[in-house]
Amino acid sequence: PGKLIHVNPGVREAHEIAARHGLSLKLLQRREKTAATVAARGAIINALLSRGWSTVRIGRLLHRDHTTISYIGRWYDKDGRK
């Protein structure tokens, strides 16, 4: 049988949030700047901040600078709404 791979709960949540928005985490790690991708990133950022993740750690996950994480986190709620 295949190996079980441990996935960090925060990373799993990021995948789930992306899927709820009809997107993949891989897409959100790219340079896409559509309203849908920014809203999904905002939802992920707020969910991970509430889990105690640092802006630097979230930035590494989403391939963004920590200052971008702080900025987006101010504008979007956990559901990706402004």
Side-chain angles (χ1 to χ4, degrees):
K3 284 196 266 183
L4 291 176
I5 299 172
H6 173 74
V7 177
N8 179 296
V11 174
R12 183 179 305 121
E13 186 172 5
H15 280 283
E16 291 168 358
I17 291 169
R20 279 199 303 269
H21 284 263
L23 305 167
S24 70
L25 186 57
K26 281 263 192 234
L27 175 67
L28 298 178
Q29 291 170 331
R30 295 185 193 143
R31 293 181 150 273
E32 288 283 323
K33 290 185 183 177
T34 65
T37 58
V38 174
R41 281 187 203 111
I44 290 170
I45 289 165
N46 279 301
L48 296 181
L49 285 172
S50 70
R51 281 184 170 270
W53 280 41
S54 70
T55 56
V56 172
R57 188 174 179 195
I58 298 168
R60 285 186 190 131
L61 175 66
L62 295 177
H63 301 179
R64 298 285 182 282
D65 184 79
H66 72 98
T67 57
T68 301
I69 300 305
S70 297
Y71 180 78
I72 293 173
R74 282 190 216 130
W75 291 100
Y76 291 87
D77 67 12
K78 288 184 189 178
D79 297 318
R81 292 185 299 245
K82 274 190 169 185

